[in-house]
Amino acid sequence: MSQQFHHQNDTKVISSSLLDNASLLFCGRFWKFQRKESQFQAFVKKFLASRVFMIIMISTIISNAIVMILWTYPKSRLPLFRFFEASEFFFLAIYISEFIIKLYADPIGFWEDGYNLLDVVIFFIVFIPHIIPKIMGIYYPYINIAQGIQSLRILKIITYSRGMRTLITSVGQIASIVASVLILFFVLMYIFAILGFCLFGVSERADLDNWGNLALAFFTLFSLATVDGWTDLQEQLDARNFLLSRVFTIIFILLASFVFLSMFVGVMIIHTENSMKKFERELTLERHTILMEEKQAILKRQQEEVSQLMQTQKNVDYSFAELVENFKKTLQHTDPMVLDDFGTSLPFIDVYLSTLDNQDATISKRG
């Protein structure tokens, strides 16, 4: 009985040790796999932020836009049908790859970026012309609308254009101000629409085509605000002998076109200019940061080279000056150097004063 008990204990110990070894092996392999995956994910993020990826995507978007332009010409649509079909699958493959790569690089942060959400919307729009015929049939009457909204693909270029993103951000920042201006403009049009309807739309000589109801009055006032064909509208009122028509037209054009529309344009220009200045400051700061990083790298390399020279001096019989001269022979004219405070260093002052002495000596000899 005791032998059987010891045998069971030994079996449990062996099985537990085997399980421990297996779990350790699995954990080790999983850790290595996770480390390799994190390294590959970092590489993908670096590739997404590179100029090469940006050039590839911008070239793809522009090429897609050019192909869509060619597709609108009836003479080229039938002869190049196979080309359009193959290019469509090519562009779809690139857009799908872009979506998968971005989602893999940052699965959580991808959904926090508004421009990535715009790409997702465009990504689904791209597939609408391919899904509708499968569901509704190829003779679906509204399939042309689905093909027409494919022009939204070019909006993907906003993601890769920092200048466009800056302009869109500036427009978003002044949305409240623009909304206030538009509301005031609507109030102005409402007042003049009611006034115009009462003056020119209800009398016996009424101009029913332009002032017959409030909707027509709004449309007519919009034409006056844009100063588009306002003389023709005024001639129609003059033909009906409306005495106050010219005063009405001039006052509305002055308020709507020269005040409200100019205010709207001015607000847009001022905020856009401020956004562009901010964008230029950010670019200057980035360039300065890059230069400082390069400077630190050069300084670090120079310090390492000096340390190597000093270490070499300890191991050989050469003096430090001889080692420096030998090191100078290995330098090339393209090697960068940091020259901060070079003009105030003692060696430079010594060389500069010696040069001045030589110039004075040369001038005195010629004299």
Side-chain angles (χ1 to χ4, degrees):
M1 188 71 180
S2 62
Q3 292 179 355
Q4 185 177 2
F5 178 74
H6 287 298
H7 179 69
Q8 290 178 352
N9 288 337
D10 294 337
T11 303
K12 290 181 180 179
V13 170
I14 293 172
S15 61
S16 62
S17 62
L18 290 174
L19 289 174
D20 292 339
N21 292 331
S23 62
L24 290 174
L25 182 62
F26 175 77
C27 291
R29 291 183 177 180
F30 179 76
W31 182 78
K32 290 181 180 179
F33 174 77
Q34 190 175 12
R35 185 178 63 180
K36 291 181 179 179
E37 185 181 6
S38 61
Q39 292 175 353
F40 181 72
Q41 196 172 23
F43 171 77
V44 172
K45 288 182 180 179
K46 186 177 180 181
F47 174 70
L48 290 175
S50 66
R51 186 177 293 271
V52 175
F53 180 77
M54 183 179 67
I55 292 174
I56 291 173
M57 292 308 304
I58 292 177
S59 302
T60 302
I61 296 167
I62 294 175
S63 301
N64 194 359
I66 294 173
V67 170
M68 291 185 68
I69 292 172
L70 294 175
W71 178 80
T72 59
Y73 287 92
K75 293 182 179 180
S76 62
R77 191 180 305 170
L78 292 178
L80 299 177
F81 175 77
R82 294 295 181 186
F83 168 74
F84 292 140
E85 191 176 22
S87 62
E88 179 68 12
F89 284 110
F90 173 73
F91 293 132
L92 286 177
I94 293 180
Y95 295 149
I96 293 171
S97 302
E98 177 202 16
F99 176 74
I100 294 173
I101 291 172
K102 285 185 176 180
L103 193 61
Y104 171 77
D106 193 0
I108 298 176
F110 176 84
W111 305 103
E112 297 176 354
D113 190 349
Y115 295 105
N116 286 337
L117 297 179
L118 176 64
D119 285 344
V120 171
V121 173
I122 297 173
F123 179 77
F124 286 106
I125 289 175
V126 166
F127 287 95
I128 292 177
H130 303 279
I131 296 174
I132 288 180
K134 303 292 184 183
I135 301 174
M136 302 295 183
I138 59 175
Y139 299 106
Y140 185 66
Y142 300 108
I143 193 171
N144 292 332
I145 299 176
Q147 293 175 346
I149 62 176
Q150 296 304 305
S151 59
L152 296 176
R153 296 183 185 186
I154 200 170
L155 293 178
K156 288 178 65 66
I157 203 170
I158 296 174
T159 307
Y160 303 98
S161 176
R162 191 170 178 181
M164 290 184 183
R165 294 200 303 269
T166 303
L167 291 176
I168 292 175
T169 303
S170 65
V171 172
Q173 291 174 351
I174 62 173
S176 59
I177 301 175
V178 172
S180 300
V181 175
L182 292 178
I183 290 172
L184 287 175
F185 183 66
F186 175 79
V187 171
L188 177 70
M189 289 188 66
Y190 175 79
I191 294 172
F192 274 82
I194 297 293
L195 183 61
F197 172 75
C198 294
L199 291 175
F200 315 124
V202 295
S203 64
E204 295 178 355
R205 299 168 296 168
D207 185 2
L208 299 178
D209 294 334
N210 297 316
W211 304 94
N213 54 51
L214 196 62
L216 291 174
F218 263 101
F219 185 79
T220 303
L221 289 174
F222 184 79
S223 299
L224 292 176
T226 57
V227 200
D228 181 22
W230 72 274
T231 55
D232 297 333
L233 294 172
Q234 183 58 44
E235 287 177 358
Q236 294 177 16
L237 294 177
D238 291 338
R240 290 173 171 81
N241 296 321
F242 286 111
L243 298 177
L244 298 177
S245 62
R246 295 193 176 188
V247 177
F248 176 89
T249 302
I250 291 172
I251 292 175
F252 180 77
I253 290 176
L254 287 176
L255 291 176
S257 181
F258 293 95
V259 176
F260 281 93
L261 292 182
S262 299
M263 186 189 304
F264 176 79
V265 174
V267 168
M268 294 292 294
I269 291 174
I270 291 172
H271 282 80
T272 302
E273 185 178 0
N274 293 334
S275 298
M276 294 306 297
K277 289 181 180 179
K278 181 180 178 181
F279 175 64
E280 292 175 357
R281 288 195 298 268
E282 290 177 354
L283 287 180
T284 304
L285 182 60
E286 287 184 1
R287 294 192 187 101
H288 180 70
T289 304
I290 293 172
L291 289 176
M292 291 300 295
E293 291 176 354
E294 294 178 353
K295 173 185 172 182
Q296 294 297 327
I298 294 171
L299 284 174
K300 184 178 179 181
R301 194 189 70 180
Q302 290 177 355
Q303 291 174 358
E304 291 176 354
E305 290 173 350
V306 172
S307 299
Q308 290 178 359
L309 288 175
M310 296 180 67
Q311 188 66 29
T312 305
Q313 184 187 11
K314 296 178 181 179
N315 299 329
V316 298
D317 296 333
Y318 295 105
S319 63
F320 186 76
E322 292 175 343
L323 291 175
V324 171
E325 292 298 326
N326 294 331
F327 176 72
K328 288 180 180 179
K329 296 177 181 179
T330 63
L331 295 176
Q332 299 179 359
H333 68 281
T334 56
D335 292 337
M337 295 185 67
V338 178
L339 300 177
D340 279 0
D341 300 329
F342 182 74
T344 58
S345 61
L346 292 178
F348 175 79
I349 294 174
D350 188 15
V351 173
Y352 181 68
L353 293 176
S354 300
T355 304
L356 292 179
D357 292 338
N358 291 331
Q359 289 179 354
D360 292 339
T362 303
I363 292 172
S364 61
K365 287 180 181 180
R366 289 181 179 179

